[in-house]
Amino acid sequence: MKTPSKFNWMTLLVIPAISMVFLPFGEEWYGYVLFLILAAAFWRGMKLASYRGLLIILQHGCVCLLMVFFSPWNCWYGIYPAIMAGHLSSFFRITAVNVLLMIVYTLTASFYGAADIGEENWAWITVLIFLLGVPYFLRSQQLYYEMKGELQGANEEIIRLVKLEERGRISRDLHDTLGHTLSLLTLKGELIERLIPVKPDKAVDEARELQEIIRNTLVQTRKLVSDMQTVCLSDEVIQASTMLESAGLDVQVEERADDIPPVIGKILGLCLRECVTNVLKHSQADRCRIILHNSTGSYILEVEDNGRGLEEMNVQKGSGLFGMKERLAMIEGRLDIESVSEGGVKVTINIPMVDVPVKEVTG
């Protein structure tokens, strides 16, 4: 995600600086001196945060003198201290500066005589209202981009953790699947070597068994590699439906979720795969319903069957649920398992929505 480049606030001094060529203050040299002090304080205040409060007061003082000596409409120069106030560290400080601005500018205009009771020349107050709103707007924008950056960093951390978790899962699968099998193949090879001189017929039988183990290992390896591929949620839903129907289950699928970020779709796909595996292995169900939809601020996946239920399946002690909970914990997701009144189990996965888009997660 790209964040907007920082705006060069010094460019706002270009137009008033050019206007000085046309002598807006006539022959009164002190008007130009006040503008130069205002411009210098603005330039310095945007560079040095430590002196920003004092420089804001100095700028407002210059604006007030321009209002007194020339016209209340010179309050528009207050845009510069207002912009600087928008870079203060808290809304409380901004409010304090705005209260000071409103009191001082009103008193200054009254001194000039434009805001006396009964006068109709109150139009300059619209400029004052605008100046009061500028700091709040700028501070809100600053907080928005800060939160956006933090959220982007959080999503990048989630992606990193997902990769680490997947690498750990792959490592466990390789150890559990291939490690045991390769050890068995080594023992079988040594046994065949010892049997060939004394029992060649038995050695042949062992060799055939060794070939069968190798074929099974090849199948397991291909499945493991297939599982390592990037998970696409829509493909997982189709595959889950196909697997359940092939096993003779009546399947109902409802997809009502839009714009699911890739990292969340990957985790939902892995969880759906595990849920379907549990249904096929443990539930003894003949009907399964898969629902994927958006709720208020969440993506929700529901997998419900009409099988044996929680007590019979004893799903809390295994069935890959620990791995599902680990994945969901990384994105503040929640896993709920409950018995269905007419029998069976309902698994509900709830993942909060994230507004900032995240990149595709690969190996």
Side-chain angles (χ1 to χ4, degrees), residues 216-290:
N216 292 334
T217 303
L218 182 59
V219 172
Q220 291 176 342
T221 303
R222 287 173 177 170
K223 182 179 182 301
L224 185 60
V225 171
S226 176
D227 290 343
M228 292 179 190
Q229 304 301 318
T230 299
V231 176
C232 176
L233 181 57
S234 58
D235 292 342
E236 284 295 324
V237 172
I238 296 173
Q239 183 177 350
S241 177
T242 302
M243 289 176 60
L244 292 168
E245 290 175 350
S246 299
L249 277 74
D250 179 21
V251 182
Q252 179 184 357
V253 177
E254 299 179 24
E255 288 189 75
R256 304 191 299 271
D258 301 320
D259 301 326
I260 299 179
V263 65
I264 293 179
K266 176 181 177 68
I267 293 176
L268 283 174
L270 293 171
C271 291
L272 175 61
R273 183 186 300 179
E274 189 61 47
C275 289
V276 170
T277 300
N278 288 337
V279 171
L280 294 174
K281 285 185 175 181
H282 307 288
S283 71
Q284 298 182 5
D286 56 23
R287 186 173 68 253
C288 182
R289 183 172 64 170
I290 300 172

Side-chain angles (χ1 to χ4, degrees), residues 163-194:
K163 289 181 179 180
L164 290 176
E165 196 278 336
E166 285 302 295
R167 288 169 184 164
R169 181 184 65 85
I170 292 169
S171 176
R172 291 192 299 270
D173 289 346
L174 287 173
H175 178 271
D176 296 341
T177 303
L178 295 182
H180 172 74
T181 304
L182 291 175
S183 298
L184 180 60
L185 291 176
T186 301
L187 293 174
K188 284 285 185 181
E190 294 173 352
L191 177 60
I192 292 172
E193 183 180 10
R194 290 196 298 268

